[in-house]
């Protein structure tokens, strides 16, 4: 009896100190956890194919967009519908929150970009400048600029406050599926239907000049100011 007990104990110690055994045990635990996970909630409200859904940066709100031409703002805790955003006359292909979670931008097949107030659900503006469906939207990290792409083969950067195009990238022979800012907002990555991916600089010199005038007026800049502003 004593010998059998000692043998069992030795086997347990061997199992506990064998990396392969520990890995198998970990995989079993992970598998059990995954199988026990349950769907929390199904959000229903769209009458067409849902194209995208994203959380706000503050985690309080979800926005979804659909082929039914609408967006829906949802409470991310109770999952209640807060606002149905209507105004587009074509499929809404993409949606995104601003960094401060107060604004939503939408890309639509009606060739416009919608800007929406999250608190009220009201439309603030429609940005126009494309001749094809708008396929994606992306805010810069400071919330100043909005990047968008289109099936007309172009990528544009908008100044949200001015509601103006400050930069445009053309040259794609087909549509552009998506465009994104780089981590430092100084580059643009765009993916085209012509089998190419392009990396471009941003911002252009014209926008730097405008922002310099806006910040400093007509006075001369010191060497220190010039360095701090352009190398920010």
């Amino acid at each position: 009896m004593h010998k059998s007990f000692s043998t069992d104990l030795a086997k347990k110690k061997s199992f506990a100190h064998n990396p392969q055994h520990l890995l198998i045990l970990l995989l079993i635990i992970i598998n059990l956890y995954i199988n026990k996970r349950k769907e929390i909630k199904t959000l229903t409200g769209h009458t067409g194919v849902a194209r995208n859904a994203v959380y706000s940066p503050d985690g309080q709100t979800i926005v979804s967009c659909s082929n039914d031409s609408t967006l829906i703002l949802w409470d991310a805790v109770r999952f209640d519908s807060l606002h149905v955003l209507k105004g587009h006359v074509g499929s809404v292909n993409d949606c995104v929150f601003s960094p401060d979670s107060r604004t939503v931008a939408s890309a639509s097949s009606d060739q416009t970009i919608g800007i929406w107030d999250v608190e009220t659900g009201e439309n603030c503006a429609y940005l126009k400048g494309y001749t094809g469906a708008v396929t994606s939207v992306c805010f810069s990290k400071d919330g100043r600029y909005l990047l968008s792409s289109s099936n007309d083969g172009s990528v544009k950067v908008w100044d949200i406050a001015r509601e103006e195009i400050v930069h445009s990238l053309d040259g794609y022979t087909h549509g552009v599926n998506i465009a994104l800012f780089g981590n430092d907002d100084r580059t643009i990555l765009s993916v085209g239907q012509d089998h190419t991916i392009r990396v471009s600089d941003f911002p252009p010199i014209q926008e730097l000049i405008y922002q310099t005038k806006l910040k400093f007026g007509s006075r001369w800049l010191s060497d220190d100011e010039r360095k701090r502003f352009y190398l920010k």
Side-chain angles (χ1 to χ4, degrees):
M1 179 68 71
H2 178 71
K3 182 178 180 181
S4 175
F5 177 79
S6 299
T7 302
D8 291 342
L9 183 60
K11 287 181 179 179
K12 289 180 181 179
K13 287 184 177 180
S14 175
F15 182 89
H17 289 86
N18 189 317
Q20 288 184 332
H21 291 166
L22 290 175
L23 178 60
I24 292 172
L25 180 60
L26 179 60
L27 290 174
I28 292 173
I29 293 173
I30 292 174
N31 186 58
L32 289 173
Y33 171 75
I34 291 174
N35 289 334
K36 287 184 177 181
R37 293 176 65 186
K38 295 181 179 180
E39 181 180 284
I40 298 174
K41 184 73 173 179
T42 299
L43 306 182
T44 58
H46 287 296
T47 58
V49 175
R51 299 300 302 272
N52 196 16
V54 293
Y55 275 97
S56 60
D58 64 10
Q60 299 301 305
T61 315
I62 297 170
V63 64
S64 59
C65 60
S66 167
N67 282 356
D68 65 10
S69 303
T70 70
L71 300 95
I72 300 180
L73 289 169
W74 311 84
D75 185 296
V77 178
R78 301 188 308 271
F79 303 110
D80 297 330
S81 173
L82 301 174
H83 301 290
V84 178
L85 313 183
K86 297 181 178 181
H88 284 299
V89 293
S91 170
V92 184
N93 304 315
D94 194 21
C95 53
V96 65
F97 280 97
S98 60
D100 63 6
S101 302
R102 298 172 60 184
T103 304
V104 162
S106 55
S108 176
S109 292
D110 64 12
Q111 303 179 9
T112 70
I113 297 168
I115 305 298
W116 310 85
D117 183 282
V118 171
E119 183 176 359
T120 65
E122 296 294 324
N123 178 264
C124 303
Y126 289 104
L127 307 181
K128 301 178 181 180
Y130 284 113
T131 58
V134 187
T135 55
S136 73
V137 280
C138 175
F139 275 99
S140 61
K141 287 181 173 52
D142 61 7
R144 178 185 296 176
Y145 301 108
L146 183 72
L147 175 64
S148 57
S149 61
S150 170
N151 276 343
D152 69 8
S154 68
V155 173
K156 301 184 189 300
V157 181
W158 308 76
D159 183 299
I160 294 298
R162 289 183 279 161
E163 298 179 13
E164 294 179 357
I165 298 169
V166 297
H167 190 40
S168 184
L169 299 171
D170 302 301
Y172 278 103
T173 57
H174 296 80
V176 183
N177 290 328
I178 189 171
L180 301 168
F181 279 114
N183 290 334
D184 58 359
D185 287 339
R186 290 196 167 193
T187 56
I188 292 172
L189 181 68
S190 52
V191 180
Q193 296 170 15
D194 62 0
H195 309 161
T196 64
I197 299 170
R198 304 184 184 188
V199 181
S200 311
D201 289 328
F202 181 79
I205 187 63
Q206 294 90 343
E207 181 63 9
L208 289 173
I209 292 172
Y210 174 84
Q211 292 298 335
T212 301
K213 290 180 179 179
L214 191 67
K215 187 169 184 177
F216 298 103
S218 58
R219 70 179 177 83
W220 287 98
L221 304 182
S222 67
D223 289 339
D224 182 59
E225 287 175 329
R226 196 176 293 113
K227 290 178 181 178
R228 282 191 290 109
F229 184 65
Y230 286 104
L231 301 179
K232 182 178 178 181

